Amino acid sequence: MSTTAPLPSTAPLRARAEIDLAALRANVRTLRAHAPGAALMAVVKSEAYGHGALRCARAAVAAGAGWLGTATPEEALALRGAEGIPADVRIMCWLWTPGGPWRAGVEAGL
């Protein structure tokens, strides 16, 4: 039998993360400057780790990212259909499952 008490449901928030889109753009530009001939992918899986996939993707693309990375085809398809993501930006996703949206992914160029 465990003597550890469960955590209260009102435990104080101990960590917080915010995204600074200007810093994200600056980081992408810096990477592009250090490797101008390299392809650069901004990974925005899981809603950009909780920061908003679309807004982070737009900022990264505006700063020079030519690729976006997602975990699932659903995330990738949402970006492909979003305003502000140019058609020439490549999108990669890597967690495909049987019965997934294969046809839609191929048609969208994922």
Side-chain angles (χ1 to χ4, degrees):
M1 176 173 223
S2 173
T3 59
T4 304
L7 290 176
S9 62
T10 57
L13 183 64
R14 292 192 175 98
R16 178 181 164 159
E18 289 184 21
I19 190 72
D20 179 337
L21 295 178
L24 187 151
R25 286 187 292 271
N27 289 342
V28 170
R29 283 193 296 272
T30 298
L31 290 169
R32 298 290 313 138
H34 284 292
L40 189 142
M41 177 186 288
V43 178
V44 293
K45 71 183 194 80
S46 300
E47 196 56 27
Y49 303 94
H51 298 295
L54 184 55
R55 66 193 204 112
C56 290
R58 286 177 178 150
V61 167
W67 282 79
L68 297 171
T70 68
T72 68
E74 291 81 9
E75 292 172 331
L77 288 166
L79 287 176
R80 177 57 73 218
E83 187 175 323
I85 304 298
D88 64 339
V89 170
R90 306 284 311 265
I91 301 176
M92 183 184 89
C93 57
W94 54 88
L95 293 179
W96 288 85
T97 58
W102 290 94
R103 179 178 302 278
V106 170
E107 289 172 355
L110 305 181

